[in-house]
Amino acid sequence: MEIQFPVIIHGTIWSRLLLAAVLAAVAGCDRQGLDVEQQRKQTPVVSPANAEPLGPEVDIRVLLLQADRVKLTCPGSYTIWKVAGDKKLADLPGQSETTLTFAHGSWQLTDRQGTALFSAPAGAGDILEIRPGPNSLIAVGTEKTMTYRGRVRCILQGDSRIAVVNVLPIESYLDGVVGAEMWSHWQMEALCCQSIASRTYALYQIHRRQGRGHWDLRSTQNSQVYRGLTGENQRVAQAVRQTRSMVLACGPAGKEKIFPAYFSAICGGHTEDAQVVFKQDLEPLKGRKCPYCEKSAPDDYYRWPELELSKELVSRKLLERYSSLKDLKAIVDIEVVQKSEYGRVEKLSLTGSQGLKRTIAAEPFRLAITSAEKPLRSSWYRLKDGRSVWKFQNGRGFGHGVGMCQYGCEQMARQGSNCRTILQHYYPQAILVRAYSGYGAN
Ligand SMILES: [Zn+2]
């Protein structure tokens, strides 16, 4: 039976936190108007705790898909804009389903019967923006569509490929992320932790991109999973609202900066140092002992059963994925050459059929050979040669293991820890700061 500890984060708790906190303002990420790109180029500012936040909530740009044909549905009226010059091109009534393509030097929007609704000449790199009218939303996809808040940008790549990017306020984005990254029925304190970690990660990506490129992150596990309206849930919305604008920061006093607040599903007993996996040396992302996920994670995930993968399959998948390994011809031997302080595999040596050797980091190795049918759940294992197969034994955990352990976070919340205590455990030395105006529901 699940033990419930419905702990509400009160304004007073946040206020106490803020006494010691500094303000990490994401200067210039203005969601009003379309000069976001220009404003994003400004340098982030860190101000003293008693200063008012600089600037409003920020917008985020999320890549949803890349395809030659894009299905768009907007039940209410909508407008189409050319982003360069912020020029309105069309004012259209609601449509059940339309298809956007690029052919013969023009954007083409057609209805189900193939009737042209809109066309406009364009060149490489051209960007259209579709803005739903008031109280309307837009659905986008290739086969099936999913509904999103905010605006949708369609960016022409090459001759006909279209990248579809959702542009929306970061808090609305988080409503579609937190429930996709964590079970929405979990403890409210755990959902609050996830909201803060996801917000921090997203803001860090915005900082990193500084408006460069067409998107800040992807909607998949490569960044963090975002499902738009489908991922929304009342409990998740509550957690996002309660932690509004709160992010994690670290660094010398007065010069704190937000950092990529990584998280993973099940650490297996000890989180990993970000230096090992992501080559990032940050105090809050050093490994931490986690006695919690063992109690909440499914047994066959905390310690997973032996996995056997055929040597031929492992060789083929590695060579397919990484062109730099092609000169190995076929991989005939694999050896663990480096392990992290906490026991995860860090580097492996691959031997080719003609004796050539290459080293590969454990995570790229794992991601190349894992599959839904035969998942290699983590890089915490012992590798054994089993004639025609590689045996992955004594496996522990699920995911890269860096930062907050989500099942550990849930277990801490079940045992009564509040959001601040949990975050302090998984991100030691980090402080909570306010990134933009408004914080907490209380
Ligand atoms: Zn754990």
Side-chain angles (χ1 to χ4, degrees):
M1 198 176 91
E2 193 177 70
I3 311 157
Q4 294 290 330
F5 286 93
V7 183
I8 305 295
I9 300 176
H10 294 291
T12 49
I13 295 175
W14 288 119
S15 303
R16 259 182 273 137
L17 272 171
L18 285 164
L19 283 176
V22 297
L23 165 74
V26 185
C29 295
D30 187 356
R31 71 187 169 94
Q32 315 297 328
L34 282 173
D35 52 348
V36 176
E37 312 300 342
Q38 186 55 40
Q39 293 195 30
R40 274 205 175 101
K41 286 175 186 154
Q42 296 176 21
T43 318
V45 177
V46 176
S47 302
N50 56 1
E52 282 303 307
L54 302 177
E57 182 184 343
V58 297
D59 261 2
I60 192 159
R61 305 169 305 166
V62 192
L63 175 67
L64 301 178
L65 59 97
Q66 290 166 291
D68 289 339
R69 296 173 68 81
V70 178
K71 282 187 186 173
L72 297 164
T73 304
C74 197
S77 61
Y78 60 103
T79 51
I80 302 180
W81 297 69
K82 189 180 174 80
V83 168
D86 195 23
K87 190 177 162 199
K88 184 151 78 164
L89 301 178
D91 220 325
L92 295 167
Q95 300 286 340
S96 56
E97 187 180 293
T98 63
T99 302
L100 182 72
T101 54
F102 184 84
H104 312 298
S106 285
W107 292 108
Q108 309 279 349
L109 186 71
T110 53
D111 66 12
R112 275 186 188 211
Q113 287 71 43
T115 310
L117 299 168
F118 162 82
S119 79
D126 199 61
I127 307 173
L128 286 186
E129 185 165 281
I130 298 159
R131 302 181 192 171
N135 306 317
S136 188
L137 298 165
I138 188 162
V140 186
T142 46
E143 294 302 318
K144 284 183 181 173
T145 59
M146 280 170 71
T147 305
Y148 299 93
R149 297 188 188 278
R151 302 165 275 151
V152 164
R153 282 185 186 168
C154 298
I155 300 141
L156 182 60
Q157 298 182 304
D159 293 337
S160 62
R161 200 157 176 80
I162 302 166
V164 180
V165 173
N166 189 194
V167 184
L168 75 169
I170 191 168
E171 297 293 314
S172 299
Y173 160 75
L174 290 170
D175 283 342
V177 166
V178 174
E181 285 288 356
M182 183 176 264
W183 296 109
S184 57
H185 67 270
W186 275 11
Q187 301 291 316
M188 189 51 72
E189 294 295 298
L191 292 172
C192 286
C193 290
Q194 185 64 51
S195 303
I196 292 170
S198 287
R199 184 182 294 108
T200 308
Y201 181 81
L203 272 172
Y204 176 82
Q205 298 304 332
I206 293 174
H207 273 267
R208 202 171 67 88
R209 300 290 281 193
Q210 292 282 302
R212 290 186 298 270
H214 294 300
W215 54 83
D216 300 309
L217 36 70
R218 293 167 185 269
S219 58
T220 63
Q221 278 181 332
N222 287 339
S223 302
Q224 47 189 0
V225 181
Y226 166 59
R227 293 204 191 115
L229 224 66
T230 319
E232 292 188 11
N233 170 285
Q234 217 175 348
R235 298 187 78 244
V236 164
Q238 188 186 335
V240 172
R241 206 167 53 245
Q242 281 183 191
T243 61
R244 180 183 157 80
S245 96
M246 301 304 297
V247 293
L248 292 152
C250 69
K255 290 186 177 174
E256 290 90 345
K257 291 198 171 143
I258 61 170
F259 60 94
Y262 296 110
F263 51 88
S264 73
I266 300 161
C267 75
H270 208 296
T271 68
E272 190 50 87
D273 187 338
Q275 178 65 25
V276 168
V277 180
F278 300 114
K279 301 289 164 227
Q280 285 172 304
D281 187 14
L282 287 162
E283 210 47 50
L285 296 176
K286 301 285 179 200
R288 293 282 281 169
K289 201 166 189 297
C290 173
Y292 304 105
C293 55
E294 185 172 14
K295 300 185 180 83
S296 56
D299 288 344
D300 57 344
Y301 278 74
Y302 183 82
R303 284 192 182 79
W304 38 268
E306 180 176 296
L307 174 72
E308 286 187 4
L309 295 176
S310 93
K311 288 186 173 178
E312 187 275 328
L313 180 86
V314 169
S315 171
R316 183 159 45 80
K317 284 195 164 183
L318 284 165
L319 296 179
E320 271 171 13
R321 180 125 168 180
Y322 305 115
S323 55
S324 59
L325 298 177
K326 285 226 162 69
D327 54 357
L328 295 181
K329 310 286 184 204
I331 295 162
V332 295
D333 194 21
I334 303 175
E335 195 187 344
V336 173
V337 288
Q338 198 173 335
K339 280 196 167 190
S340 79
E341 190 183 340
Y342 310 122
R344 285 182 182 77
V345 173
E346 192 171 345
K347 276 183 192 160
L348 302 106
S349 167
L350 311 175
T351 306
S353 53
Q354 291 164 349
L356 271 175
K357 282 182 187 284
R358 291 273 184 286
T359 45
I360 184 169
E363 277 299 291
F365 174 80
R366 178 173 83 85
L367 296 173
I369 65 174
T370 191
S371 66
E373 303 74 42
K374 292 204 162 191
L376 180 56
R377 292 193 172 125
S378 75
S379 293
W380 195 341
Y381 53 75
R382 200 177 72 176
L383 182 67
K384 203 172 171 195
D385 190 337
R387 289 169 174 259
S388 63
V389 295
W390 291 112
K391 293 183 175 183
F392 297 85
Q393 301 177 328
N394 301 354
R396 287 172 74 159
F398 184 30
H400 55 62
V402 178
M404 184 176 78
C405 167
Q406 291 170 303
Y407 272 83
C409 165
E410 165 67 359
Q411 182 60 28
M412 284 186 79
R414 284 183 200 173
Q415 290 175 206
S417 295
N418 66 20
C419 176
R420 182 180 62 155
T421 308
I422 299 168
L423 292 173
Q424 275 175 346
H425 177 76
Y426 289 110
Y427 303 109
Q429 313 286 323
I431 57 167
L432 275 170
V433 302
R434 184 157 55 130
Y436 37 82
S437 308
Y439 63 97
N442 301 295

